[in-house]
Amino acid sequence: MVLHAALAVVLSRFSGSYDFAVGTPTAGRGERVLDDLVGMFVGTVVLRTRVDPGEEFTDLLSRVRDVDLQAFAHGDVPFERLVEVLDPVRSQSYSPLFQVSLALQNHLDSRLTLNGLHIESIEPAVVSTQFDLDFVAAEQFDNDGLPAGLVVQLTYATDLFEESTASRLMYAFESVLTTAVAEPDRRVEMFEVESVVERGLVLGGVNETDRCVDGVTLAD
């Protein structure tokens, strides 16, 4: 929920919108009767987020928590059924209901041991996404099983975004999270999402005021 609130700040600042939806996968194994079953039960939940630039991050987080809990309480509703009922405009160019996804991998790596056989996971060489922006945060643990930070990966649609834009989004996400932890009562509009280089270009370049042209008024 902290990750969701921080991402909401980033999306709001970059898009200029204050009401949007973020999708997230759920394990789908909330019922005890499913514990012994083998199979894929992952579902998708849509989290609608409203951001008030003048509110404190703690207030945003509180509302995000309420919205997320209500959404997760209905996580057993099939995503296809939700799309059918809401009946949005369909397109092969983007996912219905949301185009930004946020996932949290908060489980320890599974280890399988077989006599005389070494087993390891292999990451696919080609990475693709069904969404415009797909954020995946994975919890890291040390050898004692204690938390050791987060690793966040952003996969993006290359026909919509350039690598530099994706890098700016990742920088902003990290910056907002860092500030939110240190100053949770800071107003949303006061979070810095621009890098030092970007601020220097704007303040020292585009908005350079140390100029004087004789005989020309401001209106001219």
Side-chain angles (χ1 to χ4, degrees):
M1 295 168 186
V2 174
L3 291 171
H4 180 198
L7 181 59
V9 173
V10 174
L11 295 177
S12 175
R13 293 289 295 276
F14 273 81
S15 68
S17 174
Y18 304 106
D19 187 355
F20 41 80
V22 173
T24 190
T26 58
R29 285 186 170 271
E31 300 295 334
R32 186 180 297 273
V33 295
L34 301 176
D35 290 349
D36 295 330
L37 293 181
V38 176
M40 185 73 165
F41 294 89
V42 173
T44 304
V45 172
V46 183
L47 309 173
R48 185 175 182 180
T49 312
R50 291 185 174 90
V51 177
D52 179 0
E55 67 182 340
E56 296 180 356
F57 184 82
T58 50
D59 295 329
L60 171 62
L61 178 58
S62 179
R63 289 192 296 103
V64 165
R65 179 181 183 276
D66 291 341
V67 169
D68 289 3
L69 287 176
Q70 293 181 39
F72 293 144
H74 298 84
D76 57 342
V77 178
F79 182 74
E80 293 78 10
R81 175 57 179 164
L82 193 61
V83 174
E84 178 184 349
V85 172
L86 296 177
D87 192 25
V89 177
R90 302 300 299 271
S91 172
Q92 294 182 348
S93 301
Y94 53 83
S95 169
L97 304 187
F98 67 91
Q99 285 80 52
V100 179
S101 175
L102 172 64
L104 174 62
Q105 302 289 357
N106 58 345
H107 59 81
L108 293 171
D109 290 338
S110 300
R111 301 298 176 88
L112 180 62
T113 303
L114 298 176
N115 291 335
L117 184 63
H118 174 70
I119 300 175
E120 64 181 13
S121 61
I122 299 177
E123 296 295 332
V126 178
V127 179
S128 61
T129 177
Q130 303 177 45
F131 314 109
D132 295 351
L133 297 169
D134 186 8
F135 293 84
V136 178
E139 290 186 348
Q140 305 297 299
F141 302 90
D142 60 21
N143 294 331
D144 297 325
L146 298 176
L150 288 169
V151 172
V152 180
Q153 173 180 298
L154 169 59
T155 308
Y156 57 94
T158 54
D159 57 339
L160 297 176
F161 302 100
E162 296 181 353
E163 183 177 356
S164 59
T165 304
S167 296
R168 290 178 62 198
L169 288 170
M170 289 295 284
Y171 174 87
F173 196 20
E174 180 182 10
S175 176
V176 170
L177 282 171
T178 301
T179 304
V181 171
E183 304 176 45
D185 57 348
R186 176 178 288 208
R187 295 201 311 273
V188 169
E189 62 188 357
M190 298 303 294
F191 279 86
E192 295 182 354
V193 297
E194 300 88 5
S195 66
V196 175
V197 174
E198 288 177 318
R199 288 196 297 273
L201 290 174
V202 173
L203 297 178
V206 178
N207 291 332
E208 177 60 59
T209 59
D210 188 18
R211 299 176 183 175
C212 180
V213 181
D214 293 336
V216 179
T217 67
L218 179 60
D220 292 335

